[in-house]
Amino acid sequence: MDGLAAYQATLNQPLPAGAYPGDVVVRQPIERYSAADQQTWRTLYRRQSALMPGRAATAFVEALAALELGDAIPDFEQLSARLMRATGWRIVAVNGLCSDRVFFEHLANRRFPVTWWLRAPEQLDYLQEPDLFHDVFGHVPLLMNKIFADYMQAYGKGGLKALAVGGEQALAQLARLYWYTVEFGLIREAKGLRLYGAGILSSKGETLYALDSDTPHRLRFELERIMRTDYKIDEFQRCYFVIDSFNELFDATRPDFTPLYRALAGAEDIAADAIVAGDVMIGRMAA
Ligand code: HBI
Ligand code: FE
């Protein structure tokens, strides 16, 4: 029985103490979405996709258009079939956040856990934890990009290794790498800075702030710097890290992290809004 079948064998079992809601794969209850849910999806999709041209990474804009997700809450089976053909990924429905182990295990097997429920209409502009719109609109399009899809699987494999040998420090440093790339990353393209982080792309406010505001620092991607940098989970980021390509991201994280964890052991954490020696600042209008 493959990993997914094993998860499906735990369907609707009572969660053991300390388990995360997302630690079991569930069936997407597609028949349970209300008219209000469908309206919420359409409203969010129309509003956010209209902001993408000129702000989101080219690969994101192209994949979003190809997926044609605008009219109704997507059927995960159909979306998985599209992803499988493009990059061998699929999505699995979960109730919410997964424990690190489960999350890494999914990514290492090219499965992205997607929350099946959608925020309430009154939460249109913000909610704390990832919902269906954050996961599908924010994360799924770039899983259609071969290099980014490879990076996500490598991240999962690295996470499983960190769980085995790295300990708490390594996990915290990996979470920061995920945060400042997959969730809140920026990329520099010929026409200027563009967004690729799902946490930005699924938020109207942060989509505008991340490119237009003078408040946050925008720093050149630097792996050790990122792994030392704290982040905020309930407000716009105070700094963003900028890559020049997904290849750069994949290449920088390809080597084994063990020497990196050793070099970073005992290194001071850096505050989310700090600037330190060696930082390369990138202007808002950088091209
Ligand atoms: N679980 N469902 C879900 N989605 C995530 O993006 C996620 C998660 N669990 C942990 C996590 N992200 C990050 O802390 C990773 O760095 C592990
Ligand atoms: Fe996310």
Side-chain angles (χ1 to χ4, degrees):
M1 154 156 56
D2 82 345
L4 182 56
Y7 277 116
Q8 284 169 335
T10 64
L11 272 189
N12 303 324
Q13 301 297 317
L15 283 180
Y20 279 61
D23 279 359
V24 285
V25 169
V26 296
R27 183 185 62 82
Q28 181 193 13
I30 191 136
E31 72 289 346
R32 275 178 51 187
Y33 295 122
S34 66
D37 288 327
Q38 296 291 354
Q39 185 51 46
T40 298
W41 170 268
R42 278 193 296 273
T43 303
L44 285 170
Y45 184 89
R46 278 195 200 117
R47 189 177 78 176
Q48 212 45 30
S49 51
L51 291 176
M52 296 296 104
R55 291 190 180 90
T58 304
F60 180 91
V61 174
E62 290 171 354
L64 187 68
L67 287 170
E68 297 174 320
L69 300 173
D71 297 334
I73 292 172
D75 175 311
F76 289 8
E77 296 294 326
Q78 290 170 14
L79 199 42
S80 287
R82 294 288 306 272
L83 278 172
M84 190 55 82
R85 279 196 300 276
T87 55
W89 276 78
R90 61 181 148 187
I91 59 178
V92 288
V94 293
N95 293 324
L97 284 177
C98 310
S99 60
D100 285 353
R101 182 187 58 74
V102 167
F103 188 65
F104 294 143
E105 168 77 18
H106 278 313
L107 298 190
N109 289 282
R110 293 199 172 229
R111 294 190 303 264
F112 193 80
V114 173
T115 299
W116 65 265
W117 50 263
L118 193 61
R119 68 191 72 180
E122 60 275 8
Q123 295 174 302
L124 216 55
D125 287 324
Y126 181 72
L127 77 165
Q128 176 79 32
E129 58 178 311
D131 73 335
L132 191 153
F133 184 76
H134 167 84
D135 280 334
V136 173
F137 188 95
H139 284 289
V140 167
L142 280 182
L143 291 175
M144 297 284 279
N145 174 281
K146 290 190 185 324
I147 304 293
F148 194 82
D150 288 350
Y151 168 69
M152 289 291 276
Q153 179 178 34
Y155 179 87
K157 288 180 175 173
L160 290 176
K161 205 187 294 181
L163 273 173
V165 299
E168 276 316 302
Q169 174 215 327
L171 288 174
Q173 288 165 346
L174 268 187
R176 288 166 172 165
L177 174 59
Y178 185 86
W179 191 267
Y180 281 116
T181 57
V182 179
E183 294 295 356
F184 291 95
L186 265 58
I187 185 168
R188 185 164 43 182
E189 296 186 349
K191 291 186 180 160
L193 294 185
R194 294 292 182 266
L195 309 167
Y196 74 91
I200 309 175
L201 290 166
S202 57
S203 154
K204 176 186 174 189
E206 195 144 6
T207 291
L208 302 172
Y209 165 89
L211 291 177
D212 300 346
S213 169
D214 284 326
T215 303
H217 304 309
R218 296 172 184 86
L219 307 177
R220 188 77 188 80
F221 174 89
E222 208 289 303
L223 188 53
E224 293 191 28
R225 171 58 158 94
I226 285 179
M227 292 172 79
R228 292 176 54 198
T229 306
D230 281 333
Y231 53 84
K232 311 263 183 190
I233 63 166
D234 51 5
E235 57 182 72
F236 291 167
Q237 298 310 302
R238 303 302 300 274
C239 76
Y240 297 100
F241 290 89
V242 183
I243 58 174
D244 281 332
S245 70
F246 294 132
N247 268 309
E248 176 193 9
L249 181 58
F250 186 56
D251 290 344
T253 54
R254 195 197 296 262
D256 179 65
F257 273 28
T258 310
L260 204 50
Y261 296 139
R262 201 173 298 125
L264 288 170
E268 286 276 294
D269 288 347
I270 299 170
D273 58 354
I275 292 293
V276 299
D279 283 347
V280 176
M281 311 280 280
I282 292 181
R284 276 194 306 114
M285 310 310 286

Coordinates of all heavy atoms in Angstrom, one line a residue, residues 23 29 33 39 48 76 97-98 103 112 127 175-176 183 185 195 199 203 221 241 258 277:
D23 N -3.1 15.9 9.8 CA -2.3 14.6 9.8 C -3.0 13.4 9.2 O -2.4 12.4 9.0 CB -1.8 14.3 11.2 CG -0.5 15.1 11.5 OD1 -0.2 15.9 10.6 OD2 0.0 15.0 12.6
P29 N -15.0 17.0 0.5 CA -16.5 16.8 0.5 C -17.1 17.8 -0.5 O -17.8 18.8 -0.1 CB -16.9 17.2 1.9 CG -15.8 18.1 2.4 CD -14.6 17.7 1.6
Y33 N -20.0 21.9 -0.3 CA -19.7 23.4 -0.5 C -21.1 24.1 -0.7 O -21.8 23.7 -1.6 CB -18.7 23.7 -1.6 CG -17.4 23.1 -1.3 CD1 -16.8 22.2 -2.2 CD2 -16.6 23.5 -0.2 CE1 -15.5 21.7 -2.0 CE2 -15.3 23.0 0.0 CZ -14.8 22.1 -0.9 OH -13.5 21.6 -0.6
Q39 N -19.5 31.4 -3.9 CA -19.4 32.8 -4.1 C -18.1 33.4 -3.5 O -17.5 34.2 -4.2 CB -20.7 33.5 -3.5 CG -20.7 35.0 -3.8 CD -20.5 35.3 -5.3 OE1 -21.2 34.7 -6.2 NE2 -19.6 36.3 -5.6
Q48 N -8.2 38.4 -6.7 CA -6.7 38.2 -6.6 C -6.1 38.0 -8.0 O -5.0 38.5 -8.3 CB -6.5 37.0 -5.7 CG -5.3 37.0 -4.9 CD -4.9 38.3 -4.3 OE1 -5.8 39.1 -3.8 NE2 -3.7 38.6 -4.2
F76 N -10.5 18.4 -6.4 CA -9.1 18.0 -6.2 C -8.7 16.9 -7.1 O -7.5 16.8 -7.5 CB -8.9 17.6 -4.7 CG -9.0 18.8 -3.7 CD1 -9.4 20.1 -4.1 CD2 -8.6 18.6 -2.4 CE1 -9.4 21.1 -3.2 CE2 -8.7 19.7 -1.5 CZ -9.1 20.9 -1.9
L97 N -3.4 22.3 9.2 CA -2.0 22.2 9.2 C -1.6 20.8 9.6 O -2.2 20.1 10.4 CB -1.4 23.2 10.3 CG -1.4 24.6 9.8 CD1 -0.9 25.5 11.0 CD2 -0.5 24.8 8.6
C98 N -0.5 20.3 9.0 CA 0.1 19.0 9.3 C 1.2 19.2 10.2 O 1.9 20.2 10.2 CB 0.6 18.4 8.0 SG -0.5 18.3 6.6
F103 N 3.9 16.6 7.0 CA 4.1 17.6 5.9 C 5.3 17.2 5.0 O 5.2 17.1 3.8 CB 4.2 19.0 6.4 CG 4.2 20.1 5.4 CD1 3.1 20.3 4.7 CD2 5.3 20.8 5.2 CE1 3.0 21.3 3.7 CE2 5.3 21.9 4.2 CZ 4.2 22.1 3.5
F112 N 0.8 17.5 -2.3 CA 0.7 18.8 -1.5 C -0.6 18.7 -0.7 O -1.7 18.5 -1.3 CB 0.7 20.0 -2.4 CG 0.9 21.3 -1.6 CD1 2.2 21.7 -1.2 CD2 -0.2 22.0 -1.3 CE1 2.4 22.8 -0.4 CE2 0.0 23.2 -0.5 CZ 1.3 23.5 0.0
L127 N -7.2 35.4 7.2 CA -7.5 34.4 8.3 C -6.1 33.9 8.7 O -5.2 33.9 7.8 CB -8.4 33.4 7.9 CG -8.0 32.3 6.9 CD1 -9.0 31.2 6.9 CD2 -7.8 32.8 5.5
A175 N 12.1 25.7 8.6 CA 10.8 26.4 8.5 C 11.0 27.8 8.0 O 10.2 28.3 7.3 CB 10.1 26.4 9.9
R176 N 12.1 28.4 8.4 CA 12.4 29.8 8.0 C 12.6 29.8 6.4 O 12.2 30.7 5.7 CB 13.6 30.4 8.7 CG 13.3 30.7 10.1 CD 14.6 30.9 10.9 NE 14.3 31.5 12.3 CZ 15.2 31.5 13.2 NH1 16.4 31.0 13.0 NH2 14.9 32.0 14.4
E183 N 6.5 30.6 1.0 CA 5.3 31.4 1.4 C 5.5 32.9 1.1 O 4.5 33.6 0.8 CB 5.2 31.3 2.9 CG 4.7 29.9 3.4 CD 3.3 29.5 2.9 OE1 2.6 30.3 2.3 OE2 2.9 28.3 3.2
G185 N 8.3 34.5 -0.8 CA 9.5 34.8 -1.7 C 9.2 35.8 -2.8 O 8.0 35.9 -3.3
L195 N 6.3 38.5 -7.5 CA 5.9 37.7 -6.3 C 5.9 36.2 -6.7 O 5.3 35.9 -7.7 CB 4.6 38.2 -5.8 CG 4.4 39.7 -5.5 CD1 2.9 40.0 -5.3 CD2 5.2 40.1 -4.4
G199 N 1.9 32.9 0.4 CA 1.3 33.7 1.5 C 1.1 35.1 1.0 O 0.1 35.8 1.4
S203 N -3.0 36.9 -0.7 CA -3.5 38.0 0.1 C -3.5 39.3 -0.7 O -2.5 39.7 -1.2 CB -2.5 38.1 1.3 OG -2.6 39.5 1.8
F221 N 18.6 37.0 -1.9 CA 18.5 35.6 -1.3 C 19.9 35.2 -0.8 O 20.9 35.3 -1.5 CB 18.0 34.6 -2.4 CG 18.0 33.2 -2.0 CD1 16.9 32.7 -1.3 CD2 19.2 32.4 -2.1 CE1 17.0 31.3 -0.9 CE2 19.2 31.1 -1.7 CZ 18.1 30.6 -1.1
F241 N 13.1 38.1 0.7 CA 14.3 37.7 0.1 C 14.1 37.5 -1.4 O 13.0 36.9 -1.8 CB 14.9 36.5 0.8 CG 15.4 36.8 2.2 CD1 14.5 36.7 3.3 CD2 16.7 37.2 2.4 CE1 15.0 37.0 4.5 CE2 17.1 37.5 3.7 CZ 16.3 37.4 4.7
T258 N 23.8 19.3 6.3 CA 24.5 19.0 7.6 C 25.6 20.0 7.9 O 25.6 20.6 9.0 CB 25.0 17.5 7.6 OG1 24.0 16.7 7.1 CG2 25.5 17.1 8.9
A277 N 25.4 43.2 8.7 CA 26.5 43.3 7.7 C 26.4 42.2 6.7 O 26.1 41.1 7.0 CB 27.8 43.2 8.5

